[in-house]
Amino acid sequence: MIVYRQHARVLVQGMTGKQGSFWTEKMLACGTNVVAGVNPKRAGERHLGLPVYATAREAMAGTPFDWAVMFIPPAAARDAALDAIEAGARTVVILTEHIPARDVIAIHHAAAGHGTRIIGPNTAGIVTPGDGFVGIMPGHNGNIFQPGEVGVISRSGSLGTLICLNLTRAGIGQSAFLGIGGDPMIGTTTRDALEALDRDEATRAVVMVGEIGGAMEEEAAAYAAGMSKPVVSFIAGRASPPGKKMGHAGAIVSGAFGSYAGKRRALEAAGVAVADTPGEIPHLLRSALGAPRDAAQAVPLHA
């Protein structure tokens, strides 16, 4: 499960901490179905009106959940993720960055064995305007997110926020925002997210925000070539020099591998319109959907 729906029950690991408390309040305020939290030092208490458990396994027994989201420091992330996976979480959203590589490998291995979807590590989370959000994206802010028919995929939370802000200002709502994360070993790839939005009945078109480095955009392009829904893309890092890491751990170019030019060629060959700047995306979307470039309300992209 990649697209969050309000019927899905959410467990917050680390809910009683400063960040966990802040974002849990925001999630609850916009309708996210948060049902419980985890903090072994405060087990048996209630926080923000919700029960707190010592472990995810105890939470599953007392207050069943479908999704888990982790406000957990790097050193403890492996144990927290394994706890949620072994408890039976269908989806685990790992916000934490700088998790040791061996721990990330262990998390993915366990998830594969239990049939758990991992989103992240180093993700900002998932937003479904009108249903809620899971993570640290400003899904509660109506100036940035509005219900609609355009799905957005991004490694970067900040760049994804900018894209959604531009869409909302242009009168284009979003069916979902999928933040896949910036770790080199993420559990959900750009192609995975693209396939999910292709299947999603609420999504009419897709914006794919990529970055230099790796081959995720090229792999997604191969899938996009067979899609009936239009896909528009923006690739960050066009001016970055080869061999220099830019932002995320995976955003590094070695020779021609993972280059901006290579990604753009692959996407355009697949029929994906590629924007030179984020500000061009609303215009490209309207063009792909058969609407005039300057007609803000010509196509009913709000739900």
Side-chain angles (χ1 to χ4, degrees):
M1 186 188 303
I2 302 176
V3 178
Y4 174 75
R5 298 299 180 198
Q6 200 169 50
H7 60 77
R9 301 159 297 182
V10 179
L11 175 76
V12 181
Q13 295 173 279
M15 183 177 70
T16 62
K18 182 178 180 181
Q19 291 298 317
S21 294
F22 176 85
W23 286 106
T24 298
E25 285 187 309
K26 298 300 183 185
M27 285 188 277
L28 288 166
C30 76
T32 307
N33 187 16
V34 181
V35 296
V38 171
N39 182 340
K41 295 181 180 180
R42 296 184 58 177
E45 298 181 16
R46 295 188 72 84
H47 184 67
L48 303 176
L50 301 171
V52 180
Y53 294 90
T55 66
R57 279 166 285 193
E58 290 183 13
M60 184 65 82
T63 309
F65 61 93
D66 307 293
W67 288 52
V69 57
M70 292 171 42
F71 291 87
I72 303 293
R78 175 183 178 276
D79 289 345
L82 295 183
D83 182 27
I85 291 166
E86 292 168 3
R90 296 179 62 190
T91 304
V92 179
V93 179
I94 304 179
L95 307 173
T96 314
E97 61 178 325
H98 305 307
I99 302 173
R102 64 181 181 277
D103 291 351
V104 176
I105 292 170
I107 291 168
H108 290 318
H109 178 73
H114 287 78
T116 302
R117 165 69 63 181
I118 298 294
I119 300 173
N122 191 16
T123 177
I126 305 295
V127 183
T128 306
D131 277 44
F133 74 99
V134 181
I136 56 173
M137 288 294 290
H140 57 288
N141 190 328
N143 293 319
I144 299 172
F145 291 99
Q146 284 291 321
E149 299 173 308
V150 175
V152 179
I153 303 165
S154 180
R155 293 196 217 177
S156 165
S158 56
L159 185 54
T161 298
L162 173 63
I163 298 298
C164 292
L165 174 65
N166 288 344
L167 292 176
T168 295
R169 286 178 172 175
I172 300 173
Q174 305 87 45
S175 56
F177 169 84
L178 307 180
I180 61 172
D183 196 87
M185 296 181 287
I186 55 176
T188 299
T189 66
T190 301
R191 177 167 177 156
D192 293 335
L194 188 61
E195 291 183 19
L197 291 176
D198 191 25
R199 295 189 299 267
D200 182 43
E201 294 182 357
T203 298
R204 183 178 168 197
V206 178
V207 176
M208 189 170 69
V209 185
E211 297 179 5
I212 59 169
M216 283 201 298
E217 290 77 14
E218 290 88 340
E219 292 165 0
Y223 181 83
M227 287 177 59
S228 59
K229 296 178 182 181
V231 180
V232 171
S233 182
F234 172 74
I235 306 297
R238 177 170 58 173
S240 61
K244 183 176 179 59
K245 188 172 78 172
M246 304 294 290
H248 292 139
I252 184 168
V253 179
S254 299
F257 182 75
S259 69
Y260 176 88
K263 291 180 183 296
R264 182 159 190 156
R265 280 195 301 269
L267 289 165
E268 290 180 336
V272 175
V274 181
D276 291 323
T277 66
E280 292 181 4
I281 288 175
H283 301 306
L284 291 177
L285 273 173
R286 294 193 184 284
S287 177
L289 290 165
R293 286 173 59 92
D294 58 350
Q297 302 298 330
V299 173
L301 295 175
H302 278 306

